[in-house]
Amino acid sequence: MSEGKQPSHVEDKVFLVTGGAAGVGAGIVRTLLLENARYVAFLDIAVREGSVLEAELLEKFGALRAKFIKCDISDEEQLGAAFRQVFDKYRRLDVVINNAAMLSADDRAYKKIVDVNFSATINSTLNALDIMGADKGGKGGTIVNLSSLLALRPKARLPVYAATKIAVLQFSNSIGAESYYSQSQVRVLTVCLGPTDTAILQKPNISNFDKDYTKDLTARAPIRQRVESAANGIIEVINRGTSSSTWMIADDKPPVDITKNILNGFEAMSASLDINSLGF
């Protein structure tokens, strides 16, 4: 390693990526292997897309570098089994990227949206801490939880989706705080993605929306950053981020550390409401 160069948190590391068969997830998986990750397991319910991607990666990078695992992450038993499968194979796990998300215009589907976007992120994070946490016999590691810029917008158009993403942000910042990190030695990082040219905004997902809503959604995000920009930005965050930090990746620009913005916003709100005097 040349003098002054940051150590890589990717090279020769074992990764688990949720929602990795298409879109940003697939972009992350490809980029990790290009950056010389030792092994990348990616979870998804999309069997055809996952199998095709696995075949592509094995041909390009060689045997035993990538593995598709069919998994409904909202099912606690399936997700736990996937973690065990990866750990049993390599006897280690270094980085977990919780990328999987569900977007729907039908708020009546709230339970599934909450289960996939938030509950599964909690479950995956806790599974990762059980394996990687120094206080659990592990060697430390990194967890990246994907949120959204919608989490930072009041009165967001997608109320349930936006609510799950602000929940991910608050959960990640809290469980990545120094009091937890000092024990686990596992960094927990949050990435707020801007509109990205990913499968979640394209068919077949977009076809689930009514026509008027589809027009409104595409009009609100007519220009979306490339998947490659999002994936490369996430790699940079993994290499640079400190635990409990929050990053923004949008408009095909490098990631921006917005931790101070988030903290200042909450502190201003707490002060104006005098919440601290209530003992919280």
Side-chain angles (χ1 to χ4, degrees), residues 15 25-26 28 80 105-106 110 113-114 123 131 168 181 199 204 211 222 258:
F15 284 78
I28 293 169
D106 183 5
Y110 72 90
I113 299 172
V114 172
N123 189 23
I131 291 175
V168 166
Y181 174 72
K211 292 181 179 179
I258 60 172

Side-chain angles (χ1 to χ4, degrees), residues 17-259:
V17 181
T18 70
V24 171
I28 293 169
V29 172
R30 291 188 178 98
T31 304
L32 290 172
L33 291 171
L34 287 169
E35 293 291 325
N36 296 318
R38 174 185 290 192
Y39 175 80
V40 182
F42 58 102
L43 282 48
D44 213 300
I45 59 172
V47 175
R48 184 181 67 83
E49 291 86 347
S51 299
V52 168
L53 179 59
E54 181 185 66
E56 171 201 321
L57 297 173
L58 295 181
E59 180 177 356
K60 183 173 183 178
F61 296 101
L64 305 180
R65 295 288 306 282
K67 175 64 177 177
F68 166 62
I69 300 174
K70 181 180 181 297
C71 178
D72 178 355
I73 63 166
S74 67
D75 184 309
E76 291 189 7
E77 290 187 4
Q78 287 189 41
L79 186 58
F83 268 86
R84 289 192 296 273
Q85 181 177 339
V86 175
F87 184 72
D88 289 346
K89 175 71 175 180
Y90 278 87
R91 305 309 304 171
R92 61 183 283 194
L93 179 61
D94 300 297
V95 184
V96 172
I97 302 176
N98 289 312
N99 160 76
M102 176 181 174
L103 176 65
S104 175
D106 183 5
D107 290 332
R108 290 171 297 181
Y110 72 90
K111 190 176 188 306
K112 188 65 174 180
I113 299 172
V114 172
D115 285 347
V116 171
N117 296 3
F118 184 46
S119 298
T121 297
I122 294 176
N123 189 23
S124 179
T125 299
L126 296 179
N127 272 289
L129 288 168
D130 283 342
I131 291 175
M132 299 190 296
D135 54 337
K136 303 290 182 66
K139 297 181 179 180
T142 302
I143 300 169
V144 181
N145 291 334
L146 264 62
S147 181
S148 167
L149 289 185
L150 276 179
L152 309 181
R153 293 190 61 179
K155 300 179 181 178
R157 175 60 194 266
L158 294 163
V160 177
Y161 178 82
T164 62
K165 290 304 183 178
I166 189 63
V168 166
L169 175 63
Q170 180 77 322
F171 166 73
S172 303
N173 286 348
S174 296
I175 205 165
E178 179 60 29
S179 57
Y180 286 95
Y181 174 72
S182 62
Q183 299 179 53
S184 71
Q185 293 300 297
V186 176
R187 296 179 301 155
V188 183
L189 315 171
T190 309
V191 171
C192 294
L193 283 184
T196 305
D197 191 20
T198 180
I200 201 168
L201 291 179
Q202 296 177 358
K203 290 184 177 180
N205 296 302
I206 204 73
S207 63
N208 293 328
F209 300 155
D210 60 79
K211 292 181 179 179
D212 290 338
Y213 185 82
T214 300
K215 290 179 181 179
D216 180 71
L217 184 62
T218 54
R220 286 172 178 268
I223 300 176
R224 301 188 286 269
Q225 69 180 340
R226 294 175 295 115
V227 167
E228 292 79 7
S229 297
N232 288 330
I234 289 167
I235 302 304
E236 185 174 343
V237 169
I238 291 172
N239 282 326
R240 292 175 53 196
T242 57
S243 192
S244 195
S245 61
T246 304
W247 298 74
M248 176 179 72
I249 303 176
D251 294 333
D252 289 314
K253 295 177 181 178
V256 177
D257 187 345
I258 60 172
T259 307

